[in-house]
Amino acid sequence: MEAVRHYIGVIQVNEELNAWLEVYADEAEVIANELDKEIKAGLPLKPLHGVVIGLKDVICYRGHTVSAASKILAEFTSIYNATVTQRLLEAGAIIIGRNNCDEFAMGSSNENSAFGPVKNAVDHSRVPGGSSGGSAVAVQAGMCMVSLGSDTGGSVRQPADFCGIVGLKPTYGAISRHGLIAYASSFDQIGIFGQSVDDVFSVLDVIGGPDDYDSTVQQLSKFGKELYAGIPSLARIAYFKNALEDPALDVEIRDAIMAFIKKLTAAGFSIEPIDFEYFDHIVPTYYVLTTAEASSNLSRYDGVKFGSRLETDETDLSNFYKINRSKGFGKEVKRRIMLGTFVLSAGYYDAYFTKAQQVRRLLSENTNSIFAEFDFIISPTVPTTAFKIGDSKNADPVEMFLADIYTVFANLVGIPSISIPLFSHSSGLPFGLQVMSSRGNELALQRLSKKFVEIK
């Protein structure tokens, strides 16, 4: 009970950050009281007994609003629990509220929420990253112990980097997407924020694994296998030469990572640069495919089946849809729906969507070849540190899309990836390192990440 009251107090003090759309204070205290009774009764502790958790506003919680930070779903109440929500509750976790995010998880700054931007706790004039910015700031500012976000192209790792915390995107299929509001179904993955590597993997052990409601979920043997007989320094590590030579990369970030690579080499790691042939194709491929899937997934929000219905005398059904969707969706969501509709149109389907699918297959094949020779890939998480709220990046969608240049790769090929906070910029802002492993090797990823934190 005391823990819950502590976090409610911290949330109230940090209300200006706008990280929460709703706080379940009374409900959390009731659950905490029940858990306290279980302890007094001598019952065994559950895996996440009393762990206070925030949910991104795209994850369903029965009887609670889930709006995807959009006007079109502002009054929608979930009638069931997402699989992850159910597993958290069964494990003794306390869900303390829902976190602000970019509308329908579309954005890299958390400025696209219909309920206002989230502020970075380190510097309130800067963005926390997106789309899971509220979930990241909730952990960053100590408003909960861990939180869940969703990661379609970096929406957990990028805000984790900007906020100086750990952000994990597991293998595609490691966690059920049942009850996650869809953006791009073949990319979406629920991810986890925490202050430590062990924290996020402890939550993964609880919420991951097979689910009858999601046929894409796989049994990953508790997310990996033991490698290197307990000696992480025997790992073979690659880094994309293209990434560290990219002119968009902040010089200080590049220098810090190169210095860290030298430190790792001195510690006995084998690290080699590799040229990735399709590096320049990663972002275009990602945005062609995700916008196409978004166009399809968001077509259900029309004011009839789903979504708020505006008062109108319009009798033409097509115009009725236009009115509801024009008023209900924000600018960025409408932009991506239009892009997706364009690439799926009859005259452009083969030229864009089919071609992007072919490139995605090539990326997967090349990735498999890399992991036949190496165990891990490291890269920057984001090209820059957190930028100012209202920065020109938000005015230029292409520049904002390029902010995802290092993170979308893992979503395209379905591999696990983590951002770990290792560095500090001269501006005083944190930034991290992205580490990726082959599909299903979360356990190896956990062990190596912990070693990197020790070495830093």
Side-chain angles (χ1 to χ4, degrees):
M1 177 69 77
E2 291 304 314
V4 167
R5 288 174 177 167
H6 164 77
Y7 286 110
I8 291 172
V10 177
I11 290 170
Q12 291 171 344
V13 170
N14 289 283
E15 188 174 353
E16 180 193 354
L17 298 177
N18 200 29
W20 302 87
L21 295 179
E22 192 174 1
V23 179
Y24 315 136
D26 294 340
E27 180 181 318
E29 289 191 7
V30 169
I31 295 172
N33 188 49
E34 292 300 317
L35 292 171
D36 286 345
K37 289 179 181 178
E38 291 181 11
I39 294 177
K40 291 176 182 177
L43 298 176
L45 294 181
K46 297 173 182 177
L48 297 178
H49 189 101
V51 175
V52 178
I53 293 180
L55 292 183
K56 183 177 180 179
D57 189 36
V58 291
I59 299 173
C60 291
Y61 186 6
R62 185 173 56 240
H64 297 75
T65 300
V66 57
S67 71
S70 177
K71 290 180 181 179
I72 207 163
L73 285 178
E75 299 174 4
F76 180 75
T77 299
S78 178
I79 60 173
Y80 67 95
N81 282 332
T83 295
V84 294
T85 306
Q86 187 64 36
R87 290 177 178 175
L88 288 174
L89 294 171
E90 290 173 354
I94 300 171
I95 298 172
I96 201 167
R98 58 187 176 103
N99 296 120
N100 200 353
C101 58
D102 281 305
E103 184 181 7
F104 281 97
M106 297 181 187
S108 301
S109 66
N110 220 140
E111 294 174 279
N112 295 326
S113 170
F115 307 105
V118 178
K119 300 176 182 178
N120 194 311
V122 174
D123 180 346
H124 294 191
S125 70
R126 295 182 182 271
V127 303
S131 60
S132 309
S135 298
V137 170
V139 173
Q140 176 197 34
M143 293 186 273
C144 60
M145 297 175 186
V146 293
S147 63
L148 297 190
S150 65
D151 192 312
T152 306
S155 289
V156 166
R157 290 157 289 152
Q158 189 245 27
D161 180 281
F162 279 4
C163 293
I165 60 175
V166 178
L168 171 69
K169 182 209 84 73
T171 300
Y172 182 80
I175 300 176
S176 172
R177 290 179 293 110
H178 174 66
L180 171 69
I181 294 177
Y183 163 14
S185 302
S186 73
F187 293 80
D188 295 342
Q189 184 62 79
I190 290 173
I192 309 161
F193 293 99
Q195 290 286 359
S196 75
V197 173
D198 281 344
D199 284 352
V200 298
F201 282 96
S202 294
V203 174
L204 176 62
D205 283 341
V206 169
I207 66 175
D211 178 28
D212 291 340
Y213 293 110
D214 184 353
S215 62
T216 66
V217 179
Q218 308 163 39
Q219 177 56 264
L220 299 176
S221 303
K222 278 301 175 186
F223 315 111
K225 57 190 178 187
E226 287 289 352
L227 300 178
Y228 331 116
I231 309 173
S233 60
L234 295 180
R236 301 162 299 169
I237 302 172
Y239 68 88
F240 292 144
K241 188 178 177 183
N242 324 53
L244 286 176
E245 292 180 352
D246 194 303
L249 180 63
D250 181 275
V251 174
E252 277 192 52
I253 294 177
R254 181 182 67 235
D255 291 347
I257 292 176
M258 291 305 299
F260 188 66
I261 287 172
K262 289 180 180 178
K263 188 180 289 189
L264 293 176
T265 303
F269 287 89
S270 172
I271 305 179
E272 297 180 30
I274 57 173
D275 286 310
F276 193 67
E277 182 180 358
Y278 300 104
F279 186 79
D280 292 337
H281 296 77
I282 291 173
V283 172
T285 301
Y286 169 81
Y287 276 101
V288 167
L289 295 177
T290 55
T291 56
E293 292 187 22
S295 173
S296 176
N297 280 330
L298 272 64
S299 63
R300 71 193 73 177
Y301 304 109
D302 54 18
V304 178
K305 297 187 294 291
F306 293 99
S308 300
R309 180 182 302 189
L310 297 176
E311 293 294 331
T312 175
D313 296 327
E314 182 59 61
T315 56
D316 180 84
L317 185 61
S318 180
N319 287 336
F320 175 79
Y321 288 160
K322 288 177 184 178
I323 292 170
N324 282 301
R325 290 164 66 83
S326 295
K327 297 292 185 181
F329 288 135
K331 183 178 180 180
E332 183 61 29
V333 173
K334 286 187 278 193
R335 176 188 289 121
R336 298 195 193 196
I337 290 173
M338 289 189 290
L339 280 170
T341 304
F342 172 76
V343 301
L344 288 174
S345 60
Y348 299 97
Y349 185 92
D350 288 333
Y352 291 102
F353 185 76
T354 301
K355 186 65 68 177
Q357 291 281 41
Q358 293 169 344
V359 174
R360 190 179 193 182
R361 171 56 69 89
L362 289 173
L363 288 169
S364 295
E365 291 173 352
N366 272 255
T367 303
N368 291 337
S369 298
I370 292 171
F371 284 121
E373 186 176 351
F374 298 94
D375 302 307
F376 301 94
I377 302 170
I378 59 175
S379 81
T381 306
V382 188
T384 66
T385 53
F387 46 88
K388 295 273 189 179
I389 294 173
D391 188 283
S392 59
K393 283 185 174 63
N394 209 37
D396 183 350
V398 175
E399 188 175 353
M400 187 68 83
F401 290 171
L402 290 174
D404 300 330
I405 189 169
Y406 304 126
T407 53
V408 298
F409 169 72
N411 299 83
L412 274 164
V413 299
I415 60 175
S417 176
I418 189 171
S419 179
I420 48 179
L422 298 179
F423 312 110
S424 181
H425 198 269
S426 61
S427 62
L429 298 170
F431 64 96
L433 180 74
Q434 180 177 217
V435 188
M436 296 168 273
S437 67
S438 57
R439 290 179 60 87
N441 271 333
E442 273 84 350
L443 184 56
L445 191 64
Q446 177 185 11
R447 294 178 61 243
L448 189 74
S449 298
K450 289 175 66 177
K451 189 68 176 178
F452 281 4
V453 172
E454 291 173 12
I455 291 173
K456 75 165 185 176

